[in-house]
Amino acid sequence: MTDLHADAVRVLTDWAPDAAGQDGLRRDYLAHLADRPDGMWRACLPGHITASALVVDPEGGRVLLTLHPKVGRWLQMGGHCEPGDDTLAAAALREAVEESGIADLALLAVDGRTAPVKLDRHQVRCAGKDRPENTHLDVQYVALAPAGARELISEESLDLRWFGWDELPADTDRSVRELVAMARGLV
């Protein structure tokens, strides 16, 4: 078991979700980790833990979304855990910084603790078309951008764009809308 695996177990054990259905997902994630010592890594099939962060500019009342090249939809920043990630929170922050180009992001702390905001389980194809779909067990955080932050598109995105809380693209999926609503209520 890696330090990252142990951190994920600790985070998910300590986290007390408020939203309906989240505790069942939390228990499913913990069962996955109990069964799979490799459950943090992309190579773990049929599913693995991922980490993401919704980048928000509280002063500007806006969120930064990436147009994901594989999915073709506007999503929060996020992706696979890597061996250099010591914690789930560090993985989410790394992904947010890499994909947004904003170096001075900080994860939202509630009651003095950095914790997930939401969990989302979804099907995705991680690699080439010859690979089967697998399940991402996504642990979602909120990352705070400084006022007036400027994004810088990376090769992992087709586009990056700021959207007002109530101005998300029409085809934004339910999960992202829920994450935005939760983040708005917290900041």
Side-chain angles (χ1 to χ4, degrees):
M1 182 185 313
T2 66
D3 289 345
L4 182 59
H5 188 284
D7 177 72
V9 169
R10 181 193 57 76
V11 165
L12 292 166
T13 299
D14 293 349
W15 184 57
D18 293 331
Q22 291 287 288
D23 194 54
L25 277 176
R26 183 185 69 82
R27 287 192 311 265
D28 289 351
Y29 284 28
L30 286 167
H32 167 78
L33 291 169
D35 290 345
R36 300 297 304 256
D38 64 340
M40 300 300 300
W41 311 122
R42 175 189 300 220
C44 181
L45 297 176
H48 44 268
I49 302 288
T50 57
S52 67
L54 178 69
V55 175
V56 302
D57 172 4
E59 288 189 33
R62 59 188 188 154
V63 299
L64 183 64
L65 298 179
T66 179
L67 184 56
H68 195 280
K70 290 180 185 173
V71 180
R73 300 193 107 163
W74 292 98
L75 303 173
Q76 74 277 8
M77 315 301 147
H80 294 101
C81 296
E82 296 181 2
D85 296 326
D86 293 326
T87 65
L88 268 177
L93 185 59
R94 176 188 49 76
E95 285 287 341
V97 169
E98 286 176 1
E99 293 182 14
S100 72
I102 303 170
D104 46 356
L105 295 174
L107 292 182
L108 175 70
V110 177
D111 298 327
R113 291 180 15 159
T114 300
V117 173
K118 183 176 171 299
L119 304 176
D120 183 67
R121 178 174 35 207
H122 53 271
Q123 295 297 116
V124 67
R125 192 176 315 279
C126 290
K129 294 181 180 187
D130 58 328
R131 299 241 349 203
E133 278 197 352
N134 58 76
T135 303
H136 277 185
L137 305 171
D138 197 34
V139 181
Q140 302 175 335
Y141 292 81
V142 172
L144 303 174
R150 294 193 163 278
E151 73 282 6
L152 179 63
I153 195 166
S154 76
E155 62 189 30
E156 296 183 42
S157 179
L158 294 175
D159 196 4
L160 272 177
R161 200 172 303 164
W162 291 100
F163 296 95
W165 296 117
D166 297 318
E167 299 167 344
L168 300 177
D171 66 343
T172 303
D173 71 24
R174 174 196 52 78
S175 176
V176 174
R177 287 185 185 281
E178 289 172 358
L179 180 59
V180 169
M182 293 173 92
R184 186 178 190 177
L186 291 170
V187 295

